[in-house]
């Protein structure tokens, strides 16, 4: 074997080894997964909040008169792929419009699997609660704070149950879940407080300790529910998340008020919703716009804080309406359907 042949052979060995490593799904000679700490984000499915999913109304309102609706109010999502090999990450980065992000941005490393689950559950409930409260405030209807769930290790597990409605805290009126959480956070662990419940009953409870803040803790998941006899159920909990807040809220408003917000058109959008009705920014806006356009939307409701990034999506033939609040979103849709001037992200 001459010198040139030896050089080619020895030079090929590390190349072949590297090629094997980046494409292999497991560590050589083991069953241990060989993945990299990155995730790929891409357009996810969209759902019409005025329609059904898996046989259930996505926003199901009972116990009150519901107006007929047409058109679409689609919430949008981002698909996240993890557990990828280096070659899969490189392929998606080079050959697709996926966004490659560190895995820490999807799954915080300082939280356990159970803590992430509880955090997501709270986020879903907060989104639903805020949607109900924002919609009811806009419509001028009353709401009340209800216990949706009690954590297994909650300090109040023997005194509070799911379905209880809390109306006061140490004698002060409770009007929203956020307000009650503020009351609790202002107290120290082991402090005794009085919770007032619908019907006039008062119970004294001893607060626990929040492991993240060191402040007081009830250990319950709270939601806002109608106080007028109506029931609102959101049947996309594990898909929606907080970014579905605006579209959930608009669906409630559309169903409980005369006329149609959509004008019979295909409207899509995203954005968190605060109890006050303020619309907040979300992640993955470009993927959501692409998903909406692919589904047939002609309008995309865009949180004002996301407008700069939204323009980089460069999706043709879809109007990006810039919205700051629930009231703003309703007015924008009314103007668009009436052929009047609107505020866009352009």
């Amino acid at each position: 074997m001459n010198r040139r042949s030896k050089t080619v052979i020895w030079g090929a060995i590390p190349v072949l080894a590297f090629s094997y490593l980046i494409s292999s799904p497991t560590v050589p000679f083991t069953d241990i997964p060989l993945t990299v700490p990155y995730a790929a984000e891409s357009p996810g499915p969209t759902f019409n909040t005025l329609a059904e999913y898996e046989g259930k109304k996505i926003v199901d309102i009972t116990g009150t008169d519901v107006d007929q609706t047409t058109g679409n109010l689609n919430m949008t999502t981002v698909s996240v792929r993890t557990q990828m090999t280096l070659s899969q990450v490189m392929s998606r980065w080079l050959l697709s419009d996926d966004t490659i992000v560190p895995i820490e941005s999807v799954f915080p490393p300082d939280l356990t699997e159970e803590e992430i689950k509880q955090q997501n559950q709270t986020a879903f409930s907060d989104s639903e609660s805020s949607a109900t409260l924002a919609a009811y405030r806009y419509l001028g209807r009353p709401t009340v704070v209800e216990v949706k769930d009690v954590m297994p290790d909650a300090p109040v597990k023997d005194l509070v149950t799911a379905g209880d409605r809390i109306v006061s805290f140490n004698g002060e009126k409770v009007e929203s879940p956020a307000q009650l959480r503020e009351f609790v956070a202002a107290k120290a662990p082991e402090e005794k407080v009085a919770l007032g419940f619908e019907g006039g009953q008062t119970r004294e409870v001893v607060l626990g300790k929040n492991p993240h803040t060191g402040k007081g803790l009830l250990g319950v998941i709270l939601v806002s529910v109608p106080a007028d006899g109506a029931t609102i159920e959101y049947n996309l909990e594990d898909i929606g998340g907080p970014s579905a807040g605006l579209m959930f809220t608009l669906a409630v408003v559309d169903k409980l008020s005369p006329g149609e917000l959509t004008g019979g058109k295909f409207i899509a959008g995203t954005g968190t919703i605060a109890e006050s009705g303020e619309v907040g920014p979300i992640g993955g806006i470009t993927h959501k716009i692409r998903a909406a356009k692919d589904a047939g939307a002609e309008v995309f409701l865009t949180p004002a804080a996301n407008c700069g990034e939204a323009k980089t999506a460069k999706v043709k033939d879809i109007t990006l309406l810039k919205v700051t609040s629930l009231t703003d979103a309703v007015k924008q849709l009314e103007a668009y359907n009436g052929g009047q001037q609107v505020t866009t992200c352009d």
Side-chain angles (χ1 to χ4, degrees):
M1 185 181 296
N2 60 36
R3 181 179 298 175
R4 179 175 298 176
S5 297
K6 290 180 179 180
T7 301
V8 171
I9 291 172
W10 285 106
I13 290 175
V15 174
L16 291 173
F18 179 71
S19 298
Y20 173 78
L21 286 174
I22 66 171
S23 60
S24 175
T26 61
V27 175
F29 313 113
T30 74
D31 293 326
I32 302 174
L34 183 61
T35 58
V36 292
Y38 290 93
E41 296 180 339
S42 60
T46 73
F47 303 90
N48 182 10
T49 57
L50 298 177
E52 295 185 354
Y53 176 68
E54 295 185 344
K56 294 182 178 180
K57 294 178 181 178
I58 292 178
V59 178
D60 191 11
I61 304 176
T62 56
T64 189
D65 293 334
V66 177
D67 194 43
Q68 293 297 314
T69 60
T70 64
N72 287 56
L73 282 173
N74 275 47
M75 53 150 289
T76 50
T77 67
V78 174
S79 290
V80 179
R81 181 186 176 97
T82 59
Q83 298 295 311
M84 295 182 292
T85 63
L86 180 57
S87 63
Q88 290 173 324
V89 171
M90 293 176 65
S91 175
R92 287 180 171 271
W93 180 58
L94 292 170
L95 305 177
S96 74
D97 291 326
D98 288 8
T99 302
I100 306 300
V101 298
I103 195 69
E104 293 83 11
S105 66
V106 180
F107 302 108
D110 58 333
L111 298 179
T112 65
E113 184 176 343
E114 182 61 27
E115 287 175 329
I116 292 175
K117 181 180 178 180
Q118 289 188 4
Q119 190 178 72
N120 288 339
Q121 187 178 6
T122 300
F124 294 147
S125 295
D126 283 352
S127 177
E128 297 171 356
S129 178
S130 295
T132 297
L133 186 53
Y136 260 56
R137 282 180 172 174
Y138 177 83
L139 296 169
R141 296 189 177 204
T143 62
V144 65
V145 176
E146 184 175 279
V147 176
K148 181 178 182 180
D149 198 9
V150 181
M151 297 302 176
D153 56 349
V156 297
K157 64 181 180 180
D158 296 326
L159 296 170
V160 179
T161 60
D164 285 347
R165 294 185 169 185
I166 302 175
V167 297
S168 68
F169 180 90
N170 282 348
E172 293 189 62
K173 185 177 180 180
V174 171
E175 297 183 336
S176 72
Q179 182 191 37
L180 180 52
R181 283 194 291 268
E182 289 177 1
F183 284 158
V184 172
K187 300 297 182 179
E190 305 300 327
E191 191 167 346
K192 185 179 291 186
V193 299
L195 296 179
F197 294 84
E198 192 174 61
Q201 186 181 22
T202 299
R203 303 171 201 165
E204 288 192 341
V205 301
V206 177
L207 298 178
K209 182 179 180 180
N210 189 312
H212 302 292
T213 65
K215 299 178 180 179
L217 175 74
L218 276 177
V220 298
I221 294 177
L222 303 165
V223 293
S224 284
V225 297
D228 57 4
T231 298
I232 302 177
E233 294 183 351
Y234 301 91
N235 296 309
L236 268 184
E237 184 175 88
D238 293 334
I239 298 175
S243 66
L246 172 61
M247 304 313 291
F248 278 157
T249 307
L250 288 172
V252 175
V253 171
D254 201 8
K255 289 188 174 192
L256 293 181
S257 59
E260 295 181 329
L261 292 181
T262 67
K265 299 178 176 63
F266 194 137
I267 312 296
T270 190
T272 63
I273 193 78
E275 295 172 348
S276 63
E278 181 181 359
V279 175
I282 49 78
I285 187 73
T286 57
H287 297 305
K288 292 182 176 183
I289 294 172
R290 293 190 185 102
K293 178 57 182 176
D294 290 342
E298 65 175 89
V299 170
F300 192 89
L301 297 173
T302 310
N306 284 126
C307 268
E309 183 183 358
K311 291 189 291 185
T312 68
K314 298 180 180 179
V315 177
K316 296 181 179 180
D317 301 322
I318 187 168
T319 302
L320 304 181
L321 292 183
K322 180 180 180 180
V323 298
T324 59
S325 66
L326 172 60
T327 300
D328 185 30
V330 173
K331 288 181 178 179
Q332 286 272 61
L333 288 176
E334 290 176 345
Y336 181 85
N337 293 330
Q340 301 171 3
Q341 184 176 357
V342 295
T343 304
T344 68
C345 288
D346 298 329

